[in-house]
Amino acid sequence: MNRAFYLLSLTLSGVKSLKNPITLEFYKKNIGKTFDPDLYRITAVFGENGSGKSAIVTAVRILKNFLTTRDYLSDVSRRLSLHELVNRETHKVDITCTFRCEADGVVYRYAFSFQETDPVGREFRILSEKLECRTSVNGRFSIIFEADHGKLISLTSDADMENILGRTQNLLDRQSVVPILVADPEGCEYGSLYAAVLNLFLFGTLLHVSLEPDDWHDVFLLRKVLQNPALNAGNSVTVSGMLEEYVLSDQEKIPVSMYGAYEKRVERLSRFVKLFKPSLQKIDIEKKENGEFYDCRLQYNYGSFSVDAQFESTGIRKLPALFDALSDSVDGAVVFVDEMDANMNSVYMNAMLEHVINDGSGQLIFTCHSLEPMDLLKNRKKAIDFISSDGELVSWAKSGNLTPQRAYRAGTINHIPFNIDSTDFIGILGG
């Protein structure tokens, strides 16, 4: 897959601890007549525990789901999840992204916001949604569509406004315009509206988000639905679906028509895992027919014995998700990985990052605690961001002779004081 889209910037607020807006820039301010992102394809976000690193990746997951899911705010489990993820002070999420379509060079700016209107009942409503585009380097953005409080208020001139208004009436307070028009383009299928909306939808599908398993909160959400009769009422299908998804979370459902591609992916995964664990012989697929699907589980084969994937070490269990994320990044997707260094030896991590830098065609944005990647990324543009405990984002810019790692440790980066000493733990950890 060649690079289809390039994410230029992301602004977000209202997710988890991030109350105020922060903006991540992934390219220089002005694109210019030539666009060459090779020096800008990787970004690492460093920060203290609880500073908001995971909130950034979570916001991208919300963006992806919002663009690609019908009835986004109607699903009980999703509303329960958002209730826990939205900032407790604002109860409002705002996300704006700017991206470039590689096929025609058009730059799109997309923004949406939604608010929790009833925290007790876990009710949300979309406040606004807007898509704009710019076709020339120095041109102005023009509106493709705009919705406000559940109603379309603006469309491109070549769209059938009356037709689309009728089909979106009473729907846009709970879901995006985008999946509605992609599924049924009547009234806009031959114009600029559908082309732009389809690009936005494709951008959403090609966003790859990798969060640590604990950040999915499956058990917590399932317990909430089962324990709250009011939330559970009339949603038995949702509950059973959540229960099945949790119980079978270590199993993959592969269409029979896609099984050949799945086998090739597992063969590559075997070679990837073997770099970390040379004693592995191969990864076997244990499959069971299920209509038009195979239910597949992975077995790690060590020659004289096999181990089910779920009984591997924490570090090995992390590798399939990391493999998928990095593969997509190399192939051209826009990939966000949370806690890239979790259960990962820094030597291996740096080697993987070098491969992405040297041979990749997509984007990789990841959060990290380990300072090791700073030395690898310090000479690349827009490659290092720091986020403070109060939600301030600072991009690394060389100043004097300090490396980013030394500056970070010394507390000389604005808003990022690293004032911690071994004596601070006296009386806390004992002694």
Side-chain angles (χ1 to χ4, degrees), residues 160-172:
D160 185 343
M161 183 72 162
E162 185 175 349
N163 181 315
I164 296 172
L165 275 176
R167 289 191 294 112
T168 59
Q169 188 174 7
N170 300 323
L171 297 177
L172 300 185

Side-chain angles (χ1 to χ4, degrees), residues 3 6 8 27 31-37 100 102:
R3 184 176 63 239
Y6 185 91
L8 298 166
Y27 194 69
I31 293 180
K33 294 182 179 180
T34 59
F35 179 71
D36 183 11
R100 183 180 188 270
E102 291 295 271

Side-chain angles (χ1 to χ4, degrees), residues 208-213 216 252 265 269 272-273 298 300 314-329 335-340 344 352 364:
H208 184 128
V209 181
S210 180
L211 280 161
E212 284 294 289
W216 293 99
E252 294 184 86
R265 176 238 175 200
L269 174 62
F272 180 74
V273 175
L298 299 184
Y300 287 64
T314 303
I316 297 299
R317 289 203 309 272
K318 176 188 174 72
L319 293 180
L322 187 60
F323 167 79
D324 288 338
L326 295 180
S327 293
D328 282 356
S329 174
V335 176
F336 282 76
V337 179
D338 191 33
E339 297 195 22
M340 177 87 164
M344 176 68 60
M352 286 188 292
L364 175 63

Side-chain angles (χ1 to χ4, degrees), residues 234-334:
N235 287 284
S236 58
V237 174
T238 300
V239 173
S240 63
M242 290 176 67
L243 184 59
E244 180 181 11
E245 186 174 341
Y246 172 66
V247 171
L248 302 177
S249 60
D250 58 346
Q251 182 172 286
E252 294 184 86
K253 188 180 289 292
I254 307 299
V256 172
S257 61
M258 298 291 293
Y259 186 73
Y262 179 70
E263 281 186 307
K264 292 180 181 178
R265 176 238 175 200
V266 172
E267 191 277 328
R268 288 176 57 214
L269 174 62
S270 297
R271 289 188 279 136
F272 180 74
V273 175
K274 195 167 183 176
L275 293 173
F276 297 82
K277 201 166 185 179
S279 59
L280 178 72
Q281 298 296 305
K282 61 177 180 174
I283 298 178
D284 296 319
I285 304 171
E286 185 181 272
K287 67 177 182 179
K288 181 180 179 182
E289 290 188 18
N290 183 0
E292 297 180 357
F293 296 87
Y294 288 125
D295 292 332
C296 300
R297 296 175 64 89
L298 299 184
Q299 304 290 325
Y300 287 64
N301 187 330
Y302 293 93
S304 59
F305 65 93
S306 292
V307 178
D308 187 281
Q310 288 301 301
F311 287 90
E312 280 287 357
S313 67
T314 303
I316 297 299
R317 289 203 309 272
K318 176 188 174 72
L319 293 180
L322 187 60
F323 167 79
D324 288 338
L326 295 180
S327 293
D328 282 356
S329 174
V330 170
D331 286 344
V334 180

